[in-house]
């Protein structure tokens, strides 16, 4: 299945997913993305690492295959899966509810976990389980360079753009699969931490692909801010390569504007729900406040839920946040 879509991803939060506990650096559908409002890329070829270039690129997602059964519960069966995303094989985990479908489907984008220790489906385990128990097909992508996915050696120097590409490929693969359990016309997206940045970029570069999106404790929508917050203080050698390749924000502000989803927020067509704790010392809540303000100023359907005293891991108030999340998806996907 082919659709003219593209992506960008913010260099993401280096905090591990809360479920991980680590910290370290059918036939093809005719549904198409809504016509993008301005600003939109021109016909002039854009810089290779930029949102305009990635919007211009034609993307594919297909070949969803179920593999080993990982778990069977009274509510759902969990499988290893693979799918094709822009020529790469991407691995992941999929939970399929028991009972008569088709069920709405959700793509889950996990936070940063060191690829060297990452295993299939690691991250967002609580969400994988709860959402499947409540009648959603859940596809948790591993991303390229993770688990059994193919490698992309340029992903890091390319500001991890490929992660959003893999989310777009996951949605296209779900639609293309022809599986009777999957309602290809009801798709949602959920990401946390670094995955929240993937959510922002997916909405900007692929308007109309999903029906609604949720971001938990997301990173900044400005990639340079994530680099300064997470990588530069730790002396990550990749930072020097990025500075040399693209220039700093002071030296080359145009480049950094073109890799921020905030520059292209007018393209967004889906409702967005953001959850953020006031005591998050990993991804400051001010990042979500600024992003929500930008979406609102552009006339977009956005809601920011603040959780007093909650940290990045969302433990104490996670049940309440998930009740809100499921109510949100019920309104927009059912």
């Amino acid at each position: 299945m082919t659709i003219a879509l593209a992506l960008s991803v913010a260099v993401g939060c280096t905090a591990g997913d809360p479920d991980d506990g680590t910290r370290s650096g059918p036939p093809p559908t005719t549904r198409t993305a809504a016509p993008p409002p301005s600003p939109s890329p021109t016909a002039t070829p854009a810089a290779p690492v930029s949102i305009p270039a990635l919007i211009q690129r034609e993307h594919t997602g297909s070949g969803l295959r179920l593999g080993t059964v990982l778990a069977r519960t009274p509510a759902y069966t969990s499988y290893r899966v693979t799918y094709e995303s822009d020529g790469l094989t991407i691995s992941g985990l999929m939970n399929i509810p028991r009972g008569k479908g088709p069920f709405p489907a959700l793509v889950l984008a996990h936070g940063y976990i060191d690829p060297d220790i990452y295993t299939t489906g690691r991250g967002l385990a609580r969400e994988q389980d709860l959402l499947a128990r409540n009648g959603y097909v859940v596809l948790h992508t591993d991303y390229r360079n993770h688990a059994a996915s193919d490698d992309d050696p340029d992903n890091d120097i390319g500001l991890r753009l490929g992660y959003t590409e893999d989310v777009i490929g996951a949605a296209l693969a779900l639609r293309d699969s022809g599986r009777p359990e999957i309602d290809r016309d009801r798709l949602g997206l959920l990401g946390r931490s670094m995955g929240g940045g993937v959510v922002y970029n997916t909405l900007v570069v692929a308007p109309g692909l999903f029906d609604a999106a949720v971001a938990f404790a997301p990173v900044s929508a400005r990639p340079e801010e994530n680099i300064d917050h997470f990588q530069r203080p730790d002396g990550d050698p990749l930072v020097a390569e990025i500075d040399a390749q693209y220039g700093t924000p002071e030296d080359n502000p145009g480049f950094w504007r073109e890799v921020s989803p905030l520059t292209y927020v007018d393209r967004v067509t889906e409702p967005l729900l953001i959850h953020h704790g006031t005591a998050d010392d990993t991804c400051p809540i001010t990042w979500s406040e600024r992003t929500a303000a930008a979406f609102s100023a552009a006339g977009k359907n956005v809601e920011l839920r603040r959780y007093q005293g909650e940290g990045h891991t969302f433990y104490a108030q996670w049940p309440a946040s998930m009740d809100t999340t499921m109510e949100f998806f019920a309104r927009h996907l059912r």
Side-chain angles (χ1 to χ4, degrees), residues 14-306:
T14 55
D17 189 279
D19 299 311
D20 173 69
T22 64
R23 178 176 178 87
S24 179
T29 178
T30 58
R31 178 177 177 176
T32 59
S38 61
S40 61
T42 67
T44 303
V49 179
S50 69
I51 289 178
L54 294 168
I55 292 171
Q56 291 173 7
R57 185 180 302 167
E58 191 171 84
H59 289 263
T60 62
S62 62
L64 180 66
R65 293 181 174 83
L66 274 60
T68 307
V69 172
L70 296 173
R72 297 187 191 275
T73 77
Y76 63 85
T77 303
S78 182
Y79 301 87
R80 293 184 187 271
V81 297
T82 58
Y83 63 94
E84 177 271 333
S85 175
D86 284 9
L88 297 180
T89 296
I90 305 300
S91 64
L93 174 152
M94 190 160 77
N95 292 342
I96 300 179
R98 296 186 183 276
K100 182 175 175 57
F103 304 100
L106 302 175
V107 176
L108 269 55
H110 64 81
Y112 183 85
I113 302 171
D114 185 346
D116 288 340
I117 65 171
Y118 182 89
T119 53
T120 289
R122 189 167 181 169
L124 291 168
R126 300 174 298 176
E127 291 81 1
Q128 294 171 28
D129 176 75
L130 182 64
L131 292 166
R133 290 182 186 278
N134 281 271
Y136 292 94
V137 170
V138 176
L139 174 53
H140 178 285
T141 179
D142 289 335
Y143 304 138
R144 61 193 62 195
N145 299 340
H146 290 67
S149 297
D150 284 346
D151 289 337
D152 176 0
D154 297 324
N155 189 57
D156 286 346
I157 191 64
L159 305 185
R160 297 176 185 162
L161 302 176
Y163 297 163
T164 303
E165 185 170 1
D166 298 335
V167 164
I168 290 172
L172 297 177
L174 284 167
R175 288 220 177 118
D176 183 63
S177 70
R179 297 197 63 86
E181 307 96 334
I182 300 170
D183 187 337
R184 62 179 184 170
D185 293 320
R186 294 188 291 168
L187 296 182
L189 174 61
L190 183 150
R192 79 169 324 276
S193 198
M194 181 185 71
V198 174
V199 168
Y200 293 157
N201 287 292
T202 300
L203 296 182
V204 164
V205 302
L209 181 60
F210 290 95
D211 298 296
V214 177
F216 271 87
V219 295
S220 174
R222 296 174 176 168
E224 71 274 21
E225 197 160 46
N226 293 315
I227 291 172
D228 288 344
H229 187 76
F230 296 112
Q231 295 173 276
R232 202 177 295 276
D234 290 341
D236 187 341
L238 180 63
V239 174
E241 295 182 50
I242 290 172
D243 288 347
Q245 184 80 13
Y246 311 117
T248 66
E250 294 75 24
D251 296 334
N252 190 5
F255 168 82
W256 294 99
R257 283 194 299 270
E258 289 193 347
V259 293
S260 170
L262 297 183
T263 305
Y264 305 94
V265 70
D266 281 356
R267 291 176 53 84
V268 176
T269 59
E270 295 74 40
L272 171 65
L273 172 63
I274 305 173
H275 300 288
H276 217 124
T278 62
D280 190 335
D281 58 3
T282 299
C283 295
I285 193 172
T286 53
W287 290 350
S288 286
E289 291 171 340
R290 186 173 60 220
T291 298
F295 272 67
S296 181
K300 305 308 174 181
N301 184 348
V302 61
E303 180 181 2
L304 172 60
R305 289 290 184 109
R306 298 171 175 84

Side-chain angles (χ1 to χ4, degrees), residues 216 273 275 307 314 317-326:
F216 271 87
L273 172 63
H275 300 288
Y307 296 82
F314 259 83
Q317 298 180 73
W318 181 79
S321 71
M322 288 305 295
D323 285 344
T324 301
T325 294
M326 288 187 290

